[in-house]
Amino acid sequence: MSARPAALAPMVDAAFLANPYPAYQALREAGPIHWSTEFFGGAWLLTRHADVEQVLRDPRFSAQRTGGWVTDREQQRGELAGFQQLFARAMLFLDAPDHGRIRKVLNAGFKPAVLQALAPFIEDTVAELLDAVQGAPSFDVMQALARPLPTRVIGRMMGIEDAANADFAVWSDDLASFIGAPLATHAQARRAQASLLAMGRYFEGLLARRLAQPGDDLVSRLLQAEAAGEIRNHAELLAQCAMLLFAGHETTRNLLGNGLQALLSHPDQWQRLQQEPVLLPGAVRELLRFDSPVQYTGRRVTTTLVLHGQTLQRGDLVVPLIGAANRDPARHPQPDRLDIAGRDGGSVSFGSGPHVCIGAMLTRMEAEITFRQLLQRLPGLRLADTQPQWAHNPAYRGLHHLHVVTG
């Protein structure tokens, strides 16, 4: 086995969480690949767009990476067995052919026609949430809008009757804290397990109701797929339900918060959108690039290979730094400049290849509808916070609060 290069000094600190992009720039300029013991006890960090894109598409880099992640300590293996049983079965952590088999089942629920039929519900929900703060001199965008909207939308898609259930946000936050930690603590793993198993218990009840009375929703679709043998067992079914609820909440919430914070920090871009609302779809793509809700992901090397002169051993963890790739000047000239009209997209915020985010179109649609209504109803919106309160999560970049002044 070849010797590892010298490990990077720790880089995830308060300054990084507030603004990771200077650290990414320094790392990218120092080289395309680096060994770091700060991430999961040891991982290769990739900094450039071309490499991140390659790894996300190359089958030599596997999405199946939960084993050592969840149970990396001998004493935790029994304690966290229930967590691993569900966590490892989520589509997010599967390779072909299992990934494609489950994705085919879920794709039907994310077709353009299905999402377009959902658009009036999203419009009405955004309007209702903005009605609640209409006339207020200020409000917290995260609490009033960015948190409740995606929860209600994914709840509608899954046939969840009590989409406002406060437990959903707690469960999602616990999972995000675990998945987003460079090296999760035992306490984070235990909280994530408790929340994932609580999700499972919740869905057991919903599945029983849908079995008795099927509907036109994702949970009913998964039940039908299980009966047809397309979903192989009950644990696999529960894992997809839990991850859909989590993913449907987390990424959209942070796009809404990060995107609005970026727009209001660049008043010229906010004003241009008011003048040219036709730019909104491209603006959402640029906001995703500029401050991605997902800053990195992970892959396991399936066969020894050489990348940029470094030998990657079978089983090594690779961390494609999505946030760094999106600011790579080789792909995006003047990458630190927010430009809602002059970019051609091309970010890797939703991933790439077989695992590209199944809900990407839905997330963009929610953001476009939300920003359009904010521009129409609150054109004088401005930031109240001089120091945004960023969550302590380097993978899932988002805000605890985003206080705005309405006029």
Side-chain angles (χ1 to χ4, degrees):
M1 181 179 292
S2 61
R4 300 290 189 210
L8 290 173
M11 66 179 189
V12 179
D13 56 14
F16 178 90
L17 292 169
N19 181 9
Y21 300 106
Y24 290 153
Q25 179 181 349
L27 202 61
R28 193 173 51 244
E29 290 174 352
I33 185 168
H34 303 273
W35 176 255
S36 172
T37 56
E38 187 176 16
F39 289 78
F40 311 102
W44 296 100
L45 309 185
L46 298 178
T47 64
R48 299 180 183 177
H49 186 280
D51 293 326
V52 168
E53 180 98 29
Q54 175 194 340
V55 164
L56 294 178
R57 291 179 173 274
D58 191 330
R60 295 177 298 171
F61 299 89
S62 169
Q64 292 182 217
R65 59 191 186 276
T66 65
W69 188 7
V70 174
T71 56
D72 63 336
R73 300 173 182 88
E74 186 71 32
Q75 65 270 26
Q76 290 180 207
R77 290 181 184 168
E79 182 183 359
L80 299 177
F83 187 19
Q84 172 66 5
Q85 183 183 30
L86 282 182
F87 199 56
R89 285 177 167 82
M91 184 179 71
L92 181 65
F93 303 119
L94 296 176
D95 292 331
D98 291 329
H99 174 266
R101 170 175 56 82
I102 295 174
R103 192 179 183 97
K104 183 178 179 181
V105 171
L106 294 176
N107 270 339
F110 290 89
K111 287 181 177 178
V114 174
L115 299 184
Q116 285 305 314
L118 188 65
F121 173 79
I122 301 174
E123 293 275 8
D124 290 346
T125 303
V126 173
E128 177 190 334
L129 293 170
L130 289 180
D131 285 346
V133 296
Q134 190 73 36
S138 64
F139 66 96
D140 180 356
V141 172
M142 302 309 294
Q143 298 304 316
L145 186 61
R147 275 186 173 271
L149 174 65
T151 302
R152 292 194 194 181
V153 172
I154 195 63
R156 173 81 168 215
M157 293 184 73
M158 297 183 75
I160 295 172
E161 300 94 341
D162 53 341
N165 189 330
D167 289 336
F168 294 166
V170 174
W171 296 339
S172 181
D173 287 347
D174 285 343
L175 283 173
S177 177
F178 172 78
I179 297 172
L183 188 60
T185 66
H186 191 188
Q188 285 174 316
R190 291 178 66 186
R191 285 195 300 272
Q193 171 171 257
S195 285
L196 185 60
L197 295 180
M199 278 189 187
R201 289 190 295 272
Y202 174 86
F203 280 111
E204 289 282 15
L206 180 59
L207 288 164
R209 295 193 295 276
R210 286 291 168 271
L211 195 59
Q213 188 174 4
D216 184 20
D217 54 64
L218 284 170
V219 169
S220 296
R221 193 181 304 276
L222 283 164
L223 274 169
Q224 293 161 11
E226 184 187 29
E230 296 165 332
I231 297 293
R232 288 184 176 164
N233 54 56
H234 197 63
E236 190 172 79
L237 186 153
L238 284 175
Q240 311 324 311
C241 290
M243 283 297 121
L244 279 170
L245 182 61
F246 166 73
H249 177 268
E250 195 68 24
T251 304
T252 306
R253 174 186 71 183
N254 290 337
L255 170 58
L256 295 176
N258 298 3
L260 186 61
Q261 199 275 338
L263 282 172
L264 296 181
S265 297
H266 297 79
D268 60 320
Q269 303 290 286
W270 177 253
Q271 290 162 13
R272 185 166 185 185
L273 265 184
Q274 290 178 25
Q275 297 160 3
E276 301 178 70
V278 70
L279 296 176
L280 194 50
V284 169
R285 290 193 294 272
E286 169 66 350
L287 293 168
L288 281 161
R289 180 203 69 83
F290 186 75
D291 204 3
S292 176
V294 179
Q295 290 286 303
Y296 62 78
T297 186
R299 293 291 187 269
R300 286 276 179 203
V301 179
T302 62
T303 185
T304 299
L305 56 91
V306 176
L307 184 61
H308 293 298
Q310 300 292 348
T311 300
L312 281 59
Q313 304 287 344
R314 183 176 183 274
D316 279 359
L317 184 67
V318 175
V319 174
L321 293 170
I322 289 169
N326 284 345
R327 297 284 187 107
D328 184 350
R331 179 65 180 83
H332 301 284
Q334 296 184 287
D336 296 326
R337 177 171 171 256
L338 181 67
D339 184 357
I340 63 169
R343 304 280 183 194
D344 63 353
S347 81
V348 286
S349 295
F350 286 124
S352 188
H355 279 81
V356 68
C357 177
I358 196 170
M361 185 182 296
L362 173 64
T363 296
R364 288 195 299 265
M365 186 169 73
E366 289 182 66
E368 287 179 33
I369 290 172
T370 299
F371 292 145
R372 183 176 292 111
Q373 289 204 32
L374 284 169
L375 287 160
Q376 292 169 349
R377 296 180 58 164
L378 298 169
L381 207 62
R382 64 184 189 275
L383 295 174
D385 295 325
T386 56
Q387 296 293 328
Q389 299 177 46
W390 294 98
H392 297 287
N393 192 319
Y396 293 115
R397 180 164 167 78
L399 292 153
H400 280 309
H401 301 284
L402 180 60
H403 297 287
V404 294
V405 177
T406 58

